[in-house]
Amino acid sequence: MKTVKGMVLLVFGLLIMITLVYAGGSVEKGKKLFNDTTFAGSTNERTCNTCHPGGKGLEDVAEDYAKKADALKDQVNACIKAPLQGKPISADSQQMKDIIAYMKSLGGK
Ligand code: HEC
């Protein structure tokens, strides 16, 4: 009986870990989106990287927006709408998580 309980706990633990990993954003994928001319349905040749080369100027994003995650998402969408001529992405989409994970990685903290 004890082993069964142990197994069940182990499986639950693993499931929780997997969920946490997937709930976060991927820095790798975010970097790709940052350099993708078609990101968010962009209709021009610009990428985020065009105006923020190598993420320049965004190094403090993690700190500056620590308490206002929604404002950061709005800012990403503002930069998608006008500069990229694209369509805003959903605030809780995987792409949003990825691009934010990438920007947060820039500070190196
Ligand atoms: C046409 C140029 C241009 C493009 C393309 C662009 N941005 Fe921006 N972005 C700006 C400007 C200008 C600002 C305002 C600069 C400032 O912070 O004063 C800004 C600000 C930001 C900020 C806020 C920075 C801060 O410190 O508050 C974020 C985050 C951001 N951009 C992310 C992105 C992302 C993600 C993309 C791609 C989807 C992108 N930008 C594409 C020009 C651009």
Side-chain angles (χ1 to χ4, degrees), residues 41-53:
S42 170
T43 50
N44 58 28
E45 287 304 303
R46 285 181 182 157
T47 68
C48 308
N49 203 58
T50 309
C51 300
H52 306 285

Side-chain angles (χ1 to χ4, degrees), residues 14-26:
L14 279 174
L15 281 178
I16 288 169
M17 268 164 62
I18 291 167
T19 314
L20 284 178
V21 168
Y22 278 93
S26 152

Side-chain angles (χ1 to χ4, degrees), residues 1-11:
M1 248 347 241
K2 264 197 178 148
T3 23
V4 174
K5 266 191 191 162
M7 292 284 278
V8 169
L9 279 178
L10 189 74
V11 169

Side-chain angles (χ1 to χ4, degrees), residues 3-93:
T3 23
V4 174
K5 266 191 191 162
M7 292 284 278
V8 169
L9 279 178
L10 189 74
V11 169
F12 268 108
L14 279 174
L15 281 178
I16 288 169
M17 268 164 62
I18 291 167
T19 314
L20 284 178
V21 168
Y22 278 93
S26 152
V27 174
E28 260 323 287
K29 285 189 193 144
K31 187 175 183 182
K32 277 204 188 110
L33 297 174
F34 203 84
N35 291 281
D36 183 351
T37 53
T38 63
F39 173 45
S42 170
T43 50
N44 58 28
E45 287 304 303
R46 285 181 182 157
T47 68
C48 308
N49 203 58
T50 309
C51 300
H52 306 285
K56 205 160 172 279
L58 302 177
E59 297 89 346
D60 296 331
V61 154
E63 224 168 285
D64 294 349
Y65 291 86
K67 295 207 173 93
K68 35 182 186 168
D70 287 345
L72 179 54
K73 292 171 183 175
D74 287 347
Q75 179 62 57
V76 169
N77 273 328
C79 275
I80 284 173
K81 267 190 273 183
L84 297 189
Q85 301 278 291
K87 290 204 180 78
I89 56 173
S90 158
D92 42 40
S93 63

